[in-house]
Amino acid sequence: SEPGVAMADDKDDPSSREISKCWLAMKALERHDLDECLEHCNVALEKNPYDQQMWYIKTRCLTLKNWIDDTELEEEGVAEVLMDEHATAAMPRPGTSLRRPGTRTQTGMPNQGIRPTTSSGRPTTGFLRPGTSTRPMTNKGGVEGAFRGNRPGTTRPVTTSGRMVRLGTASMLAEPGGPFINVDKLDLRKYAQRPALARVLCDYILHHDRNPKKAVELASLATVNAGFDDWWWKHRLGKGYYQLGLLRDAEKQFKSSIADMPTIDATLQLANVYIRLDQPASAMRVYRAGQTQFPGETSMLLGEARIHDALNDMAAGVALYKNVLQWDATNVEAIACMGAHHFYTDQPEIALRFYRRLLMMGVNNTELWNNLGLCCFYASQYDMTLHCFERALQLADDDNMADVWFNVGQVAIGIGDLNLAEQAFKIAVSVDANHSESFNNMGVLDLRAGKVDQAIANFQTAHELLEFAHEPLYNAALTAFKLGQFQKAFEKVEKALENFPEHEDSLELRRQLVQHFNLL
């Protein structure tokens, strides 16, 4: 046949147009233009619902559209906190458990009286991370602490998997015409024998439908079909077990996957399993093994640094953050943590350089301007302090406005304007009724004004809101001592020393009380 006739036949062939749609969908998927890819897939599947190529591409596209980085620890639910059966010791030694970090001050590091703590009793690190700001201790907090959320007036989710179910339901409702794949009606045994389709279907079930039970069922069948030597299926099995809360099963699968094929994702997931099991030493061993296998991978260094921070081992954490910046000079978390470290070690000028670096990198949020204002104030650059706080208040919302007003009050105390300080603390309390630090400082100002009863009430409120802070307890003990209530003062100062054993003022007050009791 002549070339011209053949070209005319190809042009009229409907299969050539179908291949063209498939090519367009693949190119859109490569460009990560997921909406365009879905349009091409829908058009093709309306003509031929059994087209496996377009089914594969659309499944992959929907998975990517709902993909969430699950290597980061999520916030634990109430069920995980109250019914945790994985603890190996009810009262672990300080420094060996994330639930009971070390309390001793390291040489050259700021003590607890200088560096504040989060609502869970951990020192602030300069960077807010998921799962580290609201987890209560084992011996404190109780049921109320378990239900309390990170933001004022909020609560924790009942379970972590419950949030996943809601995400999966939302993604299904967002699809026109209902869900694309009804997983409950699929014969998973048939798909397990076809590895290419099974893999994309497993990711779809995990990240789009959020149905780890079905994903584990498919991965188990596919693992058997692959002869138990496919690292990819073991990894997905570990993910499914982790989301179901079967942490020991997840540990076995991740270990087996890493033994067959070491990957960054599996290493991070295995470390997360140990963190959920409250075994920080095992998690650090996993991170160090990952650093050996993947030199220069900053996620391994950051993971180990976070554990050192959670255990109150600041010196080791700072060394790791410096190592991170040697590999990646634009890592926001490492820069922010180094800035916080230098600020709390009485080096605000150096901290200012780190925060200015973040500003030049394009970070523009309330927390950064707030930190810049504090650094400027303590570095005696008073002309820039109020401008930074003004920018912080312009960008603030209900979640962080209370902290900005609290710091404005601190600056006002520093310049001697106690009226402005009192107004700032009252505004902070009006924005966030659970802001313990503002209640404590309001109590101090009330004492200076002679309002003793109101000061005692503020100290008590501050202690109830933040049980791990030693300042409200010491202030209440000192007030009771001056009022002649020695027994109450002794009880309060003992609690303060439980939270901060090295607090000099509390130790001195207890010595005076002991001497007084010995004289009686």
Side-chain angles (χ1 to χ4, degrees):
S1 62
E2 297 179 2
V5 176
M7 290 176 63
D9 289 341
D10 289 343
K11 187 175 181 181
D12 294 334
D13 186 6
S15 64
S16 65
R17 292 195 294 273
E18 192 67 31
I19 294 173
S20 176
K21 283 289 183 185
C22 181
W23 183 84
L24 288 172
M26 289 176 61
K27 287 299 179 183
L29 189 63
E30 289 179 7
R31 297 193 307 270
H32 215 73
D33 191 349
L34 303 180
D35 292 330
E36 181 184 343
C37 178
L38 283 176
E39 291 178 5
H40 293 309
C41 292
N42 290 334
V43 172
L45 288 172
E46 284 178 3
K47 295 180 180 179
N48 183 10
Y50 301 101
D51 190 334
Q52 292 186 9
Q53 289 181 336
M54 302 307 292
W55 183 92
Y56 180 96
I57 295 172
K58 183 175 180 179
T59 304
R60 184 66 181 156
C61 181
L62 289 172
T63 303
L64 292 175
K65 197 169 185 179
N66 295 276
W67 189 283
I68 295 177
D69 183 11
D70 50 7
T71 59
E72 291 284 352
L73 272 176
E74 71 285 342
E75 182 181 353
E76 289 184 321
V78 177
E80 285 89 350
V81 173
L82 292 180
M83 294 179 280
D84 184 10
E85 299 178 352
H86 301 291
T88 56
M91 289 295 292
R93 295 192 307 273
T96 62
S97 169
L98 296 174
R99 299 176 184 270
R100 197 179 180 194
T103 55
R104 290 194 173 275
T105 303
Q106 297 173 327
T107 304
M109 293 291 113
N111 60 33
Q112 202 172 336
I114 298 175
R115 189 164 194 158
T117 57
T118 64
S119 58
S120 62
R122 296 175 180 172
T124 54
T125 58
F127 195 84
L128 184 62
R129 309 178 182 111
T132 60
S133 58
T134 58
R135 184 174 180 175
M137 303 297 183
T138 53
N139 58 341
K140 296 184 180 180
V143 177
E144 292 183 2
F147 275 93
R148 190 181 304 144
N150 190 22
R151 290 174 296 177
T154 63
T155 59
R156 288 175 181 265
V158 177
T159 61
T160 305
S161 58
R163 182 191 289 121
M164 293 297 180
V165 171
R166 291 194 297 275
L167 287 172
T169 306
S171 60
M172 290 178 187
L173 293 176
E175 295 180 32
F180 172 54
I181 300 174
N182 191 344
V183 181
D184 294 328
K185 295 182 179 180
L186 292 180
D187 184 3
L188 297 181
R189 295 182 181 276
K190 181 183 71 174
Y191 281 92
Q193 297 173 0
R194 309 182 67 176
L197 293 179
R199 291 192 179 197
V200 72
L201 178 61
C202 184
D203 278 346
Y204 175 88
I205 297 172
L206 274 175
H207 295 281
H208 182 273
D209 286 1
R210 310 286 175 185
N211 190 348
K213 185 178 179 181
K214 282 291 182 181
V216 166
E217 183 181 347
L218 175 59
S220 301
L221 295 170
T223 303
V224 174
N225 190 61
F228 300 97
D229 58 356
D230 192 325
W231 66 270
W232 194 92
W233 285 114
K234 293 176 183 178
H235 182 216
R236 291 307 186 271
L237 263 176
K239 275 191 174 185
Y241 284 137
Y242 180 80
Q243 292 184 14
L244 289 171
L246 304 173
L247 301 182
R248 288 301 182 185
D249 294 324
E251 176 192 3
K252 294 177 183 177
Q253 296 299 330
F254 285 133
K255 280 185 174 180
S256 181
S257 175
I258 293 172
D260 292 340
M261 174 64 71
T263 58
I264 296 173
D265 192 41
T267 305
L268 295 175
Q269 294 275 9
L270 180 59
N272 286 347
V273 169
Y274 285 125
I275 293 173
R276 285 284 295 272
L277 289 171
D278 196 17
Q279 297 180 8
S282 299
M284 285 191 286
R285 282 197 296 269
V286 171
Y287 283 129
R288 287 166 187 161
Q291 294 166 26
T292 304
Q293 293 171 334
F294 308 102
E297 178 58 41
T298 57
S299 59
M300 306 291 176
L301 297 168
L302 285 174
E304 187 181 353
R306 292 174 181 181
I307 294 178
H308 283 297
D309 283 345
L311 295 175
N312 204 8
D313 186 5
M314 295 299 171
V318 168
L320 287 166
Y321 289 128
K322 290 180 180 178
N323 197 1
V324 170
L325 291 177
Q326 289 179 357
W327 290 100
D328 181 8
T330 60
N331 189 281
V332 175
E333 180 175 353
I335 294 174
C337 291
M338 288 301 300
H341 164 71
H342 286 292
F343 177 79
Y344 288 119
T345 51
D346 201 19
Q347 297 173 319
E349 297 85 1
I350 300 177
L352 191 59
R353 294 175 59 185
F354 281 99
Y355 290 128
R356 286 179 58 193
R357 169 71 173 169
L358 290 177
L359 202 61
M360 289 186 288
M361 286 169 54
V363 180
N364 183 34
N365 55 31
T366 302
E367 291 79 8
L368 179 58
W369 284 107
N370 176 75
N371 293 347
L372 283 168
L374 288 174
C375 289
C376 289
F377 176 74
Y378 288 107
S380 301
Q381 299 181 17
Y382 303 116
D383 54 335
M384 293 295 298
T385 302
L386 291 180
H387 292 294
C388 291
F389 281 121
E390 286 176 359
R391 292 292 298 273
L393 289 171
Q394 289 173 2
L395 297 171
D397 54 18
D398 291 342
D399 292 341
N400 47 31
M401 186 177 291
D403 291 328
V404 180
W405 278 112
F406 170 76
N407 288 319
V408 170
Q410 289 286 89
V411 170
I413 290 176
I415 62 177
D417 192 344
L418 300 184
N419 291 327
L420 174 60
E422 185 176 5
Q423 291 177 3
F425 294 139
K426 287 182 177 179
I427 294 174
V429 170
S430 67
V431 175
D432 181 3
N434 297 325
H435 204 262
S436 169
E437 295 86 352
S438 296
F439 278 107
N440 179 68
N441 287 11
M442 284 172 59
V444 175
L445 293 177
D446 288 336
L447 271 183
R448 291 177 63 92
K451 305 174 184 177
V452 179
D453 293 337
Q454 190 170 344
I456 293 174
N458 283 329
F459 293 145
Q460 181 62 28
T461 303
H463 170 60
E464 292 174 356
L465 294 174
L466 194 61
E467 296 181 355
F468 311 101
H470 65 280
E471 294 95 339
L473 290 168
Y474 170 73
N475 291 335
L478 186 61
T479 305
F481 179 76
K482 292 181 178 179
L483 293 175
Q485 302 171 1
F486 300 122
Q487 183 61 37
K488 183 178 179 180
F490 187 78
E491 293 173 358
K492 294 287 185 181
V493 79
E494 282 292 321
K495 291 181 180 179
L497 287 171
E498 286 181 11
N499 293 341
F500 184 17
E502 301 175 3
H503 189 222
E504 289 294 336
D505 293 334
S506 297
L507 291 171
E508 178 60 29
L509 180 58
R510 185 174 66 175
R511 279 194 293 269
Q512 293 183 19
L513 287 167
V514 170
Q515 290 176 1
H516 177 77
F517 291 148
N518 289 334
L519 292 175
L520 293 177

